[in-house]
Amino acid sequence: MNAGTEDRVTKSGAAESASAIDGRGGFVRRIARTNTLWTFGVLFGLSLFFAVMRPNAFATAFNIRSVFGNSAVPLVLAVGMTYVIITAGIDLSVGSVLVFSGVIAAKVMIWGGSGWGVIALATAAAMAAGAGWGVVNGVLVTKGRIPPLIATLGTFGMALGLAEVITNGNDVNAPTRLSDDIGNKLLLGQIPVLVLIAGAVALLFGLLLATTRFGRHTYAIGSNAEAARRVGIKVDRHVIKVYALSGLLAGLAGMLNLAKFGTTTIGSHTDDNLSAIAGAVLGGTSLFGGSGSIVGTVIGVLIPAVVNDGLIILGVQQFWLFVAVGAVLIVAVFFDQLRRRVRDQP
């Protein structure tokens, strides 16, 4: 796309959100538009509440490290989901893609051993497998004209089924070196390696979304795909790339999950898709497309993690977490709809 076309994208109604995330628009304005400050206020209030109720249990270095450690894998999934939702899509397959990619990585390490070269190869294989499923999702949505909900629900079952076929339904263990040096390793005695990896992913793809043409086109497609197409954006190609990105990060999450638990945990990821969606939406990403930020998603992922940890410390049944997150998710979508109606009024 040439500079003239790029200018038309910025000026069109389809690219209203794209111009909002232009690097010259100002960080504060971008954050305000995605309700990130409000979401951070909720996170801070919850943390303060649990810290006051159980200061000797919640507000400790060990517990804070645990909260962040438990959020690392969900955050990687939610970053990819944020891109998909901004385009007004959805990806229900990420939990199964995580499992499938973890199985592929484990098989590579069983074949090749536990050296760093093999671990790097296994990571690449997991991410390639995830990206492959993402491309399948993107092609089904764009070329097959299948609604994202149905397309990714189908690949959810396919990826999980193939993972069970490959393993005969049994979990595959990873080399202990993977868990010792990555999954359970602390740097400087305090910071989990998994948290650093997840933070690097959030930073990298946050910058990609907020400062690059790829990010601007993602917002523009979510705002108005037809208008974006008319000004020269190759919408179908871009959407396929976005789903491939979501799959790629699900593949990386599969490798991180393998490192954390030392096994593929095949039966433990049926609700990962909902957790990723909740993290993005709680962070201010609109299910109707066109708005959202990775900063908000980071906060949105931490909210359920803090609530879950706080409920356990207070001795409340953990099942209440699902009630709380579900209720907050409904409220978040309701207010997003209300905000859109107010904005669209003449």
Side-chain angles (χ1 to χ4, degrees), residues 201-235:
V201 168
L203 177 62
L204 173 64
F205 289 98
L207 291 173
L208 179 69
L209 183 63
T211 63
T212 68
R213 176 183 295 184
F214 186 87
R216 291 196 293 273
H217 288 183
T218 301
Y219 281 99
I221 290 169
S223 294
N224 190 320
E226 182 56 33
R229 185 177 286 109
R230 290 180 180 180
V231 297
I233 296 176
K234 299 183 185 302
V235 173

Side-chain angles (χ1 to χ4, degrees), residues 24-252:
R24 294 166 293 182
F27 180 77
V28 173
R29 185 176 65 180
R30 295 197 300 272
I31 295 301
R33 287 193 177 212
T34 55
N35 299 319
T36 305
L37 291 177
W38 295 102
T39 310
F40 179 77
V42 172
L43 176 63
F44 179 80
L46 288 169
S47 301
L48 184 62
F49 171 77
F50 290 123
V52 170
M53 295 296 293
R54 291 290 188 275
N56 295 328
F58 184 84
T60 64
F62 174 82
N63 191 61
I64 294 171
R65 185 168 62 241
S66 176
V67 169
F68 278 94
N70 291 334
S71 301
V73 174
L75 176 58
V76 173
L77 289 177
V79 168
M81 186 68 73
T82 301
Y83 276 80
V84 173
I85 295 177
I86 287 175
T87 65
I90 204 76
D91 188 355
L92 298 181
S93 70
V94 290
S96 292
V97 172
L98 179 155
V99 170
F100 180 86
S101 302
V103 167
I104 296 299
K107 289 292 186 180
V108 169
M109 287 184 285
I110 289 174
W111 165 76
S114 59
W116 282 112
V118 177
I119 290 176
L121 179 62
T123 302
M127 295 175 70
W133 281 109
V135 170
V136 171
N137 286 333
V139 170
L140 290 175
V141 170
T142 58
K143 305 302 183 182
R145 303 302 176 191
I146 300 174
L149 184 71
I150 303 301
T152 59
L153 184 61
T155 53
F156 169 90
M158 293 169 62
L160 182 59
L162 285 176
E164 292 178 333
V165 167
I166 294 172
T167 63
N168 258 342
N170 300 314
D171 282 316
V172 181
N173 295 328
T176 55
R177 181 175 187 176
L178 183 66
S179 295
D180 292 342
D181 291 346
I182 297 179
N184 300 311
K185 182 80 170 181
L186 300 178
L187 293 182
L188 304 177
Q190 294 291 334
I191 308 173
V193 171
L194 288 182
V195 172
L196 292 176
I197 294 173
V201 168
L203 177 62
L204 173 64
F205 289 98
L207 291 173
L208 179 69
L209 183 63
T211 63
T212 68
R213 176 183 295 184
F214 186 87
R216 291 196 293 273
H217 288 183
T218 301
Y219 281 99
I221 290 169
S223 294
N224 190 320
E226 182 56 33
R229 185 177 286 109
R230 290 180 180 180
V231 297
I233 296 176
K234 299 183 185 302
V235 173
D236 287 357
R237 182 184 299 180
H238 190 89
V239 170
I240 291 173
K241 290 178 182 178
V242 167
Y243 277 96
L245 173 61
S246 178
L248 179 81
L249 291 180
L252 176 59

Side-chain angles (χ1 to χ4, degrees), residues 322-336:
F322 301 106
V323 177
V325 172
V328 172
L329 187 59
I330 292 173
V331 171
V333 174
F334 171 78
F335 278 106
D336 181 54

